[in-house]
Amino acid sequence: MQKNKLSKNEVYMILIFIGAIFILFYWTKLYFDNKYEKKLAEINQLQEQYKKVYSLYSKTINKTEKLNESLLVFIQDTVSKHNLSDKMASLKPQNISGSYESVILRLENLGLNETVDIIKDIDKFSNIKFNQINQSRRFDNEKKADLVVEIVKLK
């Protein structure tokens, strides 16, 4: 029986082939590790953004105060507090059956800060909800707007 002996060149070729396969697998591993690290960094970044958004959301949701006075009186006081009585076009109570109070407030010629302030003051109570908010830009002054808000108080 004859033994197949490998020549020196064949041994070198096999070693080169094994080395090339090892290098190919090593480069592939490095490539996918790099992709993995990038995706992991993206996931961590998104997770941090979600945490920030959730904390902002939870700050807006945590309303603990309840309005105990009449909704109509509260809206009149809030409008007066912001010195918007002269801009109040109408304040109409609505007839709703059940345990609800509802009013429609119409303010005219408001600036953006005035609009945000009045909505923020009304929205801080847990038993007050907005049914409808309609803001329309004025044609005589584009920096001002008219605001119509339907506000509902749960009793």
Side-chain angles (χ1 to χ4, degrees), residues 1 7 25 38 44 53 70 129 138 152:
M1 193 151 82
S7 68
F25 280 120
K38 284 182 183 177
N44 289 336
V53 168
S70 167
K129 305 291 181 214
R138 294 185 61 89
V152 176

Side-chain angles (χ1 to χ4, degrees), residues 80-102:
S80 296
K81 181 175 85 172
H82 289 283
N83 296 323
L84 299 174
S85 297
D86 58 329
K87 296 183 179 187
M88 185 167 59
S90 66
L91 181 61
K92 299 177 187 174
Q94 298 295 309
N95 292 329
I96 297 180
S97 61
S99 59
Y100 299 103
E101 264 185 86
S102 177

Side-chain angles (χ1 to χ4, degrees), residues 27-38:
W27 284 344
T28 305
K29 181 186 179 311
L30 286 179
Y31 173 77
F32 285 113
D33 283 348
N34 188 25
K35 285 241 182 223
Y36 174 76
E37 292 298 323
K38 284 182 183 177

